[in-house]
Amino acid sequence: MNRFTHDIRVYWEDTDAGAIVFYANYLKFMERARTEWLRHMGVQQQLLRDETGGMFVVTETQVRYHRPARLDDLLRVSAELKHMGQASITLVQQVAMADDPTRKLAEGTIRIGWVEAATLRPTRMPAALLGTLERHRAPSTAETDPRP
């Protein structure tokens, strides 16, 4: 399976005055899961930047909120690579309750571009990184559809 999951506990700092997770923090949770997803594949972002002069930047987000998370909840955040180009990737991410992953709290699509760190100009990802990402990409409909 190509879906990566990472568990995150909700702390006071993540909530508003009503002990409900502040909406922007779901993006932080997704960012943490993407970072751990890369680590799981052996990609260390600082080392990658030092060695290649490039880095990932978020270029687009779309998030839909379904229900709130609260103080002390344990969340399961997923990251799944859906599309890959030469200079960007698109991931589908979901935040759910860890004890009931069918209870979705938020879901989003995140597009991440590869840029030269010094100039922030878009550029192609290094071949080794593309190969690593390709091995972890979710199968497309054409690849999983058994019909001819």
Side-chain angles (χ1 to χ4, degrees):
M1 184 149 178
N2 294 317
R3 176 181 269 200
F4 174 81
T5 61
H6 178 68
D7 289 352
I8 295 174
R9 176 77 60 191
V10 175
Y11 298 112
W12 275 115
E13 66 190 34
D14 302 317
T15 66
D16 60 17
I20 294 173
V21 171
F22 182 66
Y23 74 95
N25 286 335
Y26 289 93
L27 289 170
K28 289 181 178 183
F29 299 156
M30 291 177 185
E31 174 74 29
R32 291 177 198 165
R34 286 193 309 277
T35 298
E36 294 304 324
W37 169 70
L38 288 168
R39 273 196 188 112
H40 177 75
M41 290 186 286
V43 177
Q44 296 177 30
Q45 292 186 77
Q46 185 61 53
L47 181 62
L48 190 60
R49 181 181 172 162
D50 292 344
E51 290 178 349
T52 69
M55 65 182 195
F56 287 113
V57 294
V58 173
T59 60
E60 184 178 345
T61 63
Q62 180 181 2
V63 180
R64 180 170 180 177
Y65 302 95
H66 297 283
R67 55 177 54 108
R70 300 176 188 278
L71 180 65
D72 290 328
D73 283 348
L74 183 61
L75 310 178
R76 178 145 304 143
V77 186
S78 65
E80 186 172 11
L81 180 59
K82 282 296 192 182
H83 180 267
M84 189 174 81
Q86 295 295 310
S88 69
I89 58 176
T90 302
L91 293 103
V92 173
Q93 293 195 256
Q94 187 178 96
V95 181
M97 297 299 294
D99 62 353
D100 181 6
T102 64
R103 190 167 162 221
K104 286 192 292 190
L105 307 177
E107 58 189 333
T109 303
I110 315 294
R111 185 168 184 244
I112 300 169
W114 182 258
V115 299
E116 295 175 4
T119 64
L120 299 181
R121 296 183 84 158
T123 189
R124 290 178 181 245
M125 286 182 265
L129 177 59
L130 285 168
T132 298
L133 293 171
E134 181 62 37
R135 288 189 297 278
H136 292 86
R137 185 165 54 124
S140 70
T141 305
E143 293 168 327
T144 59
D145 191 345
R147 294 175 289 172

